[in-house]
Amino acid sequence: MRNAIIPIIFLLLFIDFEIKSQIDTTLVSKNVLYFEGAGIGGYGSINYERLIFRKANLWVNTRVGLSTYNLKDYTAKFNPDIILPFAINGLYGNNHKIEFGIGQTISNSVSANYSTWQPERVTNFHANFTIGYRFQKKTEGLMFRCNYSPIIKYHKYYRHWGGISVGYSF
Amino acid sequence: MKYTLALLNILIIVSGCQKADFDISNLNNHEISVYGHGGMGIGQTYPINSFESIFHCLSIGTDGTELDVQMTKDSVLVAFHDRSLDHSTNISGQIINKTWDEISDVTYTNPSFTNYKLISLDELLDNTQNIHDFTFTFDCKLYHSTNDLKSYYTSYVNAINKITDKYNLHNNLLIESQDTTFLALLQASNLDHKLFIYPDSFEEGLKIAKIMNLYGITISTEKISKAQIEEAHNEGLFVAIWNTRTKKKTIEAIHKLPDIIQSDKVNYLVNQLK
């Protein structure tokens, strides 16, 4: 059940909840591209967000990102770790917003198989949460956010973590 | 004009990547050996002393690596740095209070989305190819909770000797410790051990190394000057330096002409010296 959140978030990226029908007729930027230092992608990730719902000062968006730790594995061969953070975020506010998020980070990373001692690619799922501040105007422009974003590694070990993001909404 | 500036920029970038020429004079056949610090070093994407960190370090052209060594309750040598397992692994406690069976599945908590495991020295040496092409430095961490120091030291020395014999590491093992009693016991057990004192100050290290007739001194680069390294060389003592966490510190360390650098910027040091 917990892994169902990822396809749901992914589907939501492509669904438009008739944002145009809201009372506010300002042309709202629905997309954001940004880089996050640290955060739910590990040490840093590039991310795309899509606005799926907005009513007055309440915004809901979905996020997908891409990150890595190493492009080469420990034997020095090209064999990148792949980290995919997914999340659904709720935001409240005008230009200055508070943000809450929940999601899953999928990691497909290379470590040794400790029986054969050869490189092995392993996929794992980790829960992520976000609470923080975001600056983002309704229209296109700079986006900035900083947050506390703990990770529950393998849905088992709670890790304190945080992130800072800079990007552009359009 | 803009093409000239672009060309100039490219030249500056390319020259920044090139290795510099160093006129090296030391006891190590006038070469500085490049060792990793716990593998790829502190602050890298692999946890120090993990199999992945050490293997990667040995895969990119280094001469060897330093690794931190601790002993379990049942005398198994394990590669691990901290006194306690609490901060960087998924369990708590101290290695000396655990048997190898109790900790053989322990994993590092950092980086967040990885699964690197704590390893024994047997696992490392069994599964690293061509171990005799490399030199290993065992930084022996003597974390204990016993009043019976003699039996703890004896077990530790026996474990070191056992692994040295098992993997025939006599010519490619350096051993360092801050504890002179431990070094004396190692020396008494095998005169061929290449032993390094790991002192608080250069003066203290030089004095101990001379009195004990050790192989060398291991010291932070911030605690030793080029002149002091020359002084140690004049006494026939090798010098290994560590704590070179930036490129600037790495270059400064090279200019001091030590025999060994245990690096946290391994790729950069390899590019400079190999």
Side-chain angles (χ1 to χ4, degrees):
Chain A
M1 179 59 193
R2 67 189 179 202
N3 294 337
I5 196 166
I6 294 158
I8 291 168
I9 291 168
F10 200 74
L11 280 172
L12 288 173
L13 284 169
F14 303 102
I15 295 173
D16 190 334
F17 282 90
E18 293 298 319
I19 296 163
K20 290 186 285 296
S21 68
Q22 306 302 321
I23 296 164
D24 186 349
T25 55
T26 312
L27 190 61
V28 173
S29 297
K30 293 182 188 173
N31 308 294
V32 189
L33 270 177
Y34 62 94
F35 172 78
E36 181 173 48
I40 63 171
Y43 289 152
S45 56
I46 50 170
N47 298 274
Y48 170 71
E49 270 183 11
R50 174 79 177 173
L51 182 68
I52 57 167
F53 174 80
R54 179 178 154 252
K55 187 167 187 180
N57 283 339
L58 179 67
W59 306 53
V60 177
N61 66 36
T62 51
R63 161 187 175 166
V64 59
L66 177 65
S67 175
T68 188
Y69 285 133
N70 298 295
L71 293 176
K72 291 181 177 178
D73 68 23
Y74 67 87
T75 64
K77 289 182 183 142
F78 182 76
N79 194 10
D81 297 325
I82 298 165
I83 299 164
L84 302 171
F86 291 88
I88 182 162
N89 300 311
L91 299 96
Y92 186 80
N94 195 3
N95 291 340
H96 302 278
K97 300 173 173 62
I98 54 167
E99 176 178 342
F100 301 91
I102 182 169
Q104 291 281 300
T105 301
I106 307 173
S107 62
N108 182 248
S109 59
V110 181
S111 57
N113 174 314
Y114 298 106
S115 299
T116 63
W117 299 88
Q118 296 299 312
E120 181 182 58
R121 192 167 274 285
V122 180
T123 301
N124 282 298
F125 292 82
H126 320 268
N128 64 59
F129 301 93
T130 303
I131 178 167
Y133 162 82
R134 174 186 298 224
F135 172 79
Q136 183 184 334
K137 291 180 179 172
K138 285 178 193 168
T139 53
E140 68 174 29
L142 178 77
M143 185 280 278
F144 169 82
R145 63 198 278 271
C146 60
N147 52 56
Y148 172 63
S149 49
I151 291 157
I152 305 182
K153 186 175 179 177
Y154 313 133
H155 299 113
K156 202 169 174 187
Y157 304 111
Y158 190 91
R159 302 286 322 284
H160 296 287
W161 200 236
I164 293 179
S165 311
V166 177
Y168 194 79
S169 63
F170 55 97
Chain B
M1 181 62 184
K2 67 181 178 185
Y3 294 113
T4 312
L5 283 172
L7 187 63
L8 197 62
N9 277 334
I10 290 166
L11 283 173
I12 289 168
I13 291 164
V14 169
S15 66
C17 298
Q18 281 178 340
K19 80 179 215 183
D21 283 329
F22 299 100
D23 186 15
I24 296 166
S25 166
N26 62 18
L27 299 183
N28 190 35
N29 294 323
H30 306 300
E31 287 180 1
I32 298 173
S33 289
V34 176
Y35 289 13
H37 181 205
M40 289 303 290
I42 293 169
Q44 308 303 316
T45 49
Y46 297 114
I48 59 166
N49 299 304
S50 62
F51 178 75
E52 289 81 358
S53 187
I54 292 166
F55 198 104
H56 190 63
C57 169
L58 302 179
S59 303
I60 57 171
T62 57
D63 298 297
T65 184
E66 176 263 7
L67 59 151
D68 301 292
V69 176
Q70 296 189 43
M71 188 178 71
T72 62
K73 192 160 71 178
D74 52 346
S75 301
V76 174
L77 297 178
V78 174
F80 190 69
H81 180 273
D82 298 354
R83 179 181 289 272
S84 157
L85 291 156
D86 299 27
H87 179 65
S88 58
T89 74
N90 60 350
I91 68 159
S92 58
Q94 284 188 273
I95 284 179
I96 188 59
N97 296 325
K98 311 271 187 191
T99 63
W100 173 240
D101 273 352
E102 288 173 316
I103 58 171
S104 59
D105 289 328
V106 166
T107 56
Y108 290 94
T109 47
N110 270 328
S112 286
F113 308 123
T114 57
N115 195 30
Y116 304 130
K117 194 175 85 72
L118 187 76
I119 51 161
S120 69
L121 264 56
D122 256 324
E123 288 178 325
L124 170 70
L125 295 166
D126 257 343
N127 296 291
T128 304
Q129 293 166 343
N130 308 321
I131 55 171
H132 296 105
D133 292 346
F134 304 103
T135 301
F136 297 89
T137 297
F138 291 174
D139 179 358
C140 297
K141 305 289 188 194
L142 306 176
Y143 300 137
H144 56 79
S145 52
T146 175
N147 292 325
D148 187 6
L149 268 183
K150 192 180 170 192
S151 102
Y152 170 73
Y153 283 169
T154 304
S155 298
Y156 207 133
V157 167
N158 288 341
I160 293 274
N161 286 332
K162 195 173 155 191
I163 211 151
T164 307
D165 291 340
K166 182 176 177 184
Y167 295 97
N168 191 21
L169 295 175
H170 303 277
N171 293 322
N172 57 325
L173 176 63
L174 312 176
I175 303 170
E176 60 189 38
S177 174
Q178 294 177 300
D179 190 307
T180 51
T181 309
F182 178 70
L183 288 172
L185 285 169
L186 272 170
Q187 197 171 40
S189 73
N190 185 343
L191 284 172
D192 292 333
H193 278 320
K194 294 172 180 168
L195 304 176
F196 283 66
I197 181 70
Y198 179 167
D200 285 332
S201 70
F202 169 73
E203 291 77 13
E204 180 197 350
L206 185 67
K207 188 176 160 191
I208 292 169
K210 280 165 67 178
I211 291 169
M212 294 184 68
N213 195 24
L214 300 180
Y215 197 75
I217 301 167
T218 299
I219 194 163
S220 166
T221 187
E222 287 167 349
K223 293 184 176 176
I224 195 164
S225 66
K226 185 179 179 183
Q228 287 171 323
I229 289 178
E230 208 174 311
E231 190 182 345
H233 285 163
N234 290 336
E235 298 290 342
L237 295 167
F238 279 65
V239 177
I241 60 180
W242 62 280
N243 204 14
T244 59
R245 293 192 190 182
T246 63
K247 291 178 180 177
K248 189 181 168 205
K249 279 191 174 184
T250 302
I251 294 295
E252 285 171 4
I254 294 170
H255 283 294
K256 292 179 186 177
L257 307 180
D259 303 286
I260 296 162
I261 296 177
Q262 300 173 356
S263 179
D264 294 302
K265 290 277 178 195
V266 182
N267 278 308
Y268 182 70
L269 187 59
V270 168
N271 285 337
Q272 292 301 313
L273 293 176
K274 297 291 180 184

